[in-house]
Amino acid sequence: MQLTGTTLLVIDDDDVVRQDIAMRLQTGGFDVLQANQAGQGLELFARNAPDLVLFNLQMSDQSGLALIRQIAESSPDTPLVVIAAAGDMSAVVEALHAGASDYLLKPLSDLAVLEHVVKRSLEQARLRVENQRIRERLETANRELQNHLQELKDDQAAGHQVQLNMLPQSPWQSGEYEFQHRIIPSLYLSGDFVDYFRVSETQLAFYLADVSGHGASSAFATVLLKFMTTRLLYEQRRQDGNGPIAFKPSDVLGHINRSLISCKLGKHVTMLGGIIDEAQQTLTYSIGGHLPLPVLYSDGHARYLEGKGRPVGLFEDAVYQDNVIELPQRFSLTLCSDGVLDCLSGTTLREKEQQLPRLIEEAGGRLKALMGKLNLQPGKVMPDDISLMMLSRNPG
């Protein structure tokens, strides 16, 4: 049985045919309105908005094609079933092209076919309306998604600009020392960060950090790193006055370790940092779970510096050590994030790490040449953030 509340309109000037159709459809559970003229049918349609209209293509007061156009103009989603003589298929085809949804041929000997056609047309109309609603919802969702994506792009652009503004100048010259860096994010925002700055008249500080993960959350942690190191330097300067200050790399890593754990960001950092004492011509550095280790290049040879330590922000009992070396008169020191290892051939970490000093030797300890050796081209998409920092004195 058809659900109650479905109203049909039958328009036919043949009283016998119209009443037979109406009776059959009423037996099937439909509410049926009847009209014996096209004009009367249009009035009933306007007043009652039926769910489907059946009508004779050939009526005395108006053609079926004109009726189709009038109904379709006011209610394009209402299904229209035309009734025609068996020998008038050309008119049926024309009606279907004009907007009719289905047709019945007289004589209607099997009224079960009538009910089947009506139900099929109603179901098709329901599906068309539902599909239209789905399309509208999808279009609305797509517009909202586009707006959200644009907001995200705007946020990323702003975050990217913040990161750029936080990074130090490259190249940067201070006394005899030159610092350079390159950062290639795997996404729009980077979890890698580098910084270098003067601590006192005879001290230069630097660090390279690789925050776990990618994207905005890791980029936010780099902002926190910048704040913590700047704040620590400020506090140390207040205590020590104008001369050299006790700005030990191990103290910096320990301070950041405690701060990250207390912040509960769910982020940890591998990093390494150092202090150059220009008066003593020494480098003091500390390692926080970072690979690869710094590579020192001098007299045509490159080697890894020694050192180890736990990642920063994971272990409350982590202790960091200071390592001290004398600096050659001419040298460069290369610091890389582990994303650089993706640029090297080899199946094991050891095989990849063995290549880096050799490439630095081939590059003559120069950053631009090393970038070429690593095939790091502008705009190249990498699976991980990549950062390189190189400091040098009197390079050959």
Side-chain angles (χ1 to χ4, degrees):
M1 297 290 288
Q2 178 68 26
L3 293 174
T4 59
T6 302
T7 301
L8 311 180
L9 172 61
V10 182
I11 307 172
D12 199 326
D13 52 8
D14 187 325
D15 293 339
V16 175
V17 172
R18 185 185 71 252
Q19 291 170 3
D20 284 348
I21 291 174
M23 184 178 299
R24 173 68 190 201
L25 294 174
Q26 286 170 341
T27 303
F30 296 99
D31 298 328
V32 182
L33 303 173
Q34 299 184 50
N36 60 7
Q37 291 182 339
Q40 182 189 13
L42 288 172
E43 292 178 2
L44 287 174
F45 182 85
R47 287 202 305 268
N48 298 277
D51 300 291
L52 179 143
V53 181
L54 298 95
F55 59 92
N56 190 352
L57 266 180
Q58 301 297 332
M59 286 187 291
S60 58
D61 64 330
Q62 185 173 324
S63 73
L65 291 177
L67 193 60
I68 291 174
R69 296 187 186 98
Q70 288 177 278
I71 294 176
E73 182 178 352
S74 61
S75 181
D77 294 327
T78 301
L80 307 175
V81 177
V82 297
I83 304 169
D88 201 8
M89 284 305 299
S90 60
V92 170
V93 171
E94 192 174 357
L96 292 173
H97 286 161
S101 58
D102 213 331
Y103 66 93
L104 291 165
L105 297 178
K106 293 187 292 185
L108 301 176
S109 56
D110 187 355
L111 293 179
V113 175
L114 164 67
E115 189 171 348
H116 173 73
V117 168
V118 167
K119 289 183 177 180
R120 181 175 64 190
S121 294
L122 286 169
E123 178 63 14
Q124 290 173 344
R126 185 191 68 79
L127 291 175
R128 283 196 300 272
V129 171
E130 182 62 24
N131 286 338
Q132 179 62 29
R133 289 174 180 167
I134 291 173
R135 283 196 297 271
E136 290 173 355
R137 288 198 295 268
L138 288 175
E139 288 172 0
T140 299
N142 185 58
R143 286 194 298 271
E144 293 176 352
L145 178 60
Q146 291 296 329
N147 290 335
H148 291 324
L149 287 175
Q150 187 59 51
E151 290 176 2
L152 179 59
K153 289 179 180 178
D154 292 343
D155 289 345
Q156 287 181 328
H160 182 62
Q161 192 61 47
V162 168
Q163 277 199 308
L164 290 178
N165 290 339
M166 290 195 311
L167 288 169
Q169 179 183 343
S170 180
W172 178 65
Q173 191 83 31
S174 184
E176 296 181 322
Y177 295 89
E178 182 179 77
F179 292 78
Q180 301 178 71
H181 70 80
R182 296 289 188 278
I183 291 184
I184 304 173
S186 58
L187 300 174
Y188 202 68
L189 299 172
S190 174
D192 285 3
F193 192 72
V194 301
D195 202 5
Y196 36 79
F197 45 89
R198 180 163 288 280
V199 175
S200 70
E201 292 183 357
T202 59
Q203 292 170 295
L204 293 168
F206 62 89
Y207 67 87
L208 182 147
D210 184 354
V211 181
S212 60
H214 304 281
S217 61
S218 297
F220 172 76
T222 66
V223 178
L224 190 59
L225 288 176
K226 176 79 171 183
F227 168 77
M228 287 188 290
T229 53
T230 303
R231 181 60 181 269
L232 186 61
L233 176 60
Y234 171 76
E235 294 295 337
Q236 197 70 51
R237 171 58 63 201
R238 285 207 312 171
Q239 296 177 20
D240 294 346
N242 296 324
I245 65 175
F247 198 64
K248 295 182 180 179
S250 59
D251 292 340
V252 176
L253 267 59
H255 171 73
I256 295 175
N257 181 64
R258 293 186 297 272
S259 299
L260 286 177
I261 291 174
S262 65
C263 287
K264 298 180 180 179
L265 293 178
K267 292 289 182 182
H268 67 274
V269 184
T270 63
M271 64 184 301
L272 50 87
I275 294 283
I276 294 176
D277 187 320
E278 295 171 292
Q280 301 295 325
Q281 296 191 17
T282 59
L283 167 65
T284 303
Y285 65 94
S286 187
I287 307 294
H290 190 86
L291 289 175
L293 292 169
V295 179
L296 181 67
Y297 172 81
S298 180
D299 295 329
H301 300 287
R303 64 178 178 87
Y304 284 112
L305 298 184
E306 297 180 353
K308 60 182 180 179
R310 290 179 170 184
V312 178
L314 280 179
F315 306 100
E316 293 184 1
D317 61 345
V319 177
Y320 301 96
Q321 304 295 326
D322 286 317
N323 305 275
V324 183
I325 64 168
E326 293 185 1
L327 292 173
Q329 185 63 31
R330 294 177 178 271
F331 77 93
S332 68
L333 184 68
T334 303
L335 287 68
C336 307
S337 66
D338 61 1
V340 166
L341 299 175
D342 293 327
C343 305
L344 303 174
S345 60
T347 57
T348 66
L349 175 62
R350 184 176 181 83
E351 290 175 351
K352 290 174 177 287
E353 284 185 315
Q354 287 175 342
Q355 295 181 55
L356 186 57
R358 177 177 55 81
L359 291 180
I360 291 174
E361 290 177 357
E362 293 176 1
R366 297 182 180 276
L367 182 58
K368 184 176 180 179
L370 178 60
M371 296 279 289
K373 294 290 182 181
L374 294 169
N375 195 28
L376 293 175
Q377 305 298 329
K380 185 176 182 180
V381 178
M382 301 302 296
D384 193 6
D385 298 330
I386 292 178
S387 58
L388 297 98
M389 182 173 71
M390 185 175 288
L391 63 97
S392 58
R393 181 172 67 176
N394 302 322

